[in-house]
Amino acid sequence: MEQTHFYVNTWQRISLCVEPEFLESVLGECQAIVQYHERGVRFVEDRFAPYKLTAIYRQYLETSLTKSDFAWNDERELYGHELVARASLLSDGSPDESVPVISVRPETLIYVPERGQIMTNVGAKYEVKFGIQLNFAKTGTYDFKTVIETSPMPNGELFASLRKAIMAKTKPCKFRSPLGIHRSSIRISDGIHERLKPHPMLAAHQLEVL
């Protein structure tokens, strides 16, 4: 049977900067399964045990909090990781290539003085690496037919569970700039708050975590 393909129409995103133990706890609580995507092939990495992803995130976080410059090799291992619900797998436990998945990406921010604004999810020369994103399709279509909502899908339900758990245990990150105080969409935990204040790249952007 010919494989159907899901094409994303609109996206939704959760941005967070938390300690690795917090991330692992939330993924375990929501029973997220980790998949890895490499060279066009997906395979299940862990079943309800996202420990390898936690280790990769730990290294990425430590690098971003201690280095004043960031190289591609410092973040590349985050790319390719995906989260899925058990119900989204095929009957033999392998990935279903036809369903949308929750992707893991580095989160970036930049302060634009001309606008007096902090922008996230940007690609710029002097961007600041600041936690991660969980991205999932909000609407999409199979082979460009009827546009559908993803919320009833198993991975849509997983994304909603992750959002609820993260929102309940975190708070918005606030920054101070020369122009005032800015509230961002990035969620931070109490356990990471103090470590973010001396973030080596923030001073160069005239920013301070409150």
Side-chain angles (χ1 to χ4, degrees):
M1 185 172 66
E2 186 177 351
Q3 179 77 50
T4 58
H5 296 278
F6 185 87
Y7 298 92
V8 178
N9 188 33
T10 58
W11 290 96
Q12 52 190 330
R13 172 167 56 109
I14 307 170
S15 299
L16 65 158
C17 191
V18 297
E19 64 273 30
E21 295 79 10
F22 180 102
L23 178 64
E24 183 170 285
S25 174
V26 168
L27 296 182
E29 175 186 332
C30 297
Q31 298 187 319
I33 292 177
V34 180
Q35 288 184 173
Y36 191 77
H37 182 271
E38 185 176 22
R39 297 179 182 178
V41 178
R42 285 189 173 95
F43 57 88
V44 175
E45 185 172 77
D46 298 299
R47 297 176 182 276
F48 304 140
Y51 305 122
K52 184 176 180 181
L53 176 57
T54 304
I56 292 170
Y57 172 69
R58 184 188 303 277
Q59 182 60 46
Y60 161 78
L61 183 67
E62 287 300 318
T63 300
S64 67
L65 292 178
T66 56
K67 292 178 65 173
S68 58
D69 194 15
F70 217 84
W72 165 243
N73 286 340
D74 295 324
E75 62 179 297
R76 66 182 178 86
E77 288 193 67
L78 272 178
Y79 287 93
H81 283 87
E82 302 163 339
L83 306 177
V84 298
R86 179 172 58 177
S88 75
L89 300 176
L90 297 174
S91 57
D92 63 356
S94 60
D96 185 345
E97 297 285 345
S98 69
V99 301
V101 298
I102 302 168
S103 64
V104 181
R105 296 285 187 273
E107 177 60 282
T108 59
L109 65 85
I110 190 169
Y111 172 56
V112 185
E114 296 81 7
R115 297 184 180 181
Q117 193 175 35
I118 290 177
M119 300 176 65
T120 60
N121 194 30
V122 294
K125 184 176 181 180
Y126 301 109
E127 64 190 6
V128 178
K129 305 298 180 183
F130 203 89
I132 58 173
Q133 309 168 9
L134 304 181
N135 296 285
F136 185 63
K138 185 174 184 180
T139 61
T141 174
Y142 280 104
D143 297 328
F144 302 110
K145 297 178 182 178
T146 304
V147 174
I148 58 175
E149 297 276 346
T150 61
S151 54
M153 297 179 174
N155 290 340
E157 294 176 350
L158 172 61
F159 187 83
S161 295
L162 288 166
R163 182 190 294 279
K164 182 177 180 181
I166 291 167
M167 296 292 283
K169 301 173 183 178
T170 59
K171 58 188 177 185
C173 187
K174 294 181 181 179
F175 299 90
R176 178 183 285 119
S177 78
L179 293 180
I181 296 174
H182 310 265
R183 179 186 173 112
S184 76
S185 60
I186 303 172
R187 307 291 298 189
I188 61 171
S189 57
D190 290 337
I192 201 72
H193 185 212
E194 289 302 314
R195 292 203 61 196
L196 295 177
K197 292 185 177 182
H199 193 301
M201 288 294 289
L202 291 179
H205 287 254
Q206 300 179 289
L207 294 175
E208 174 191 0
V209 171
L210 296 180

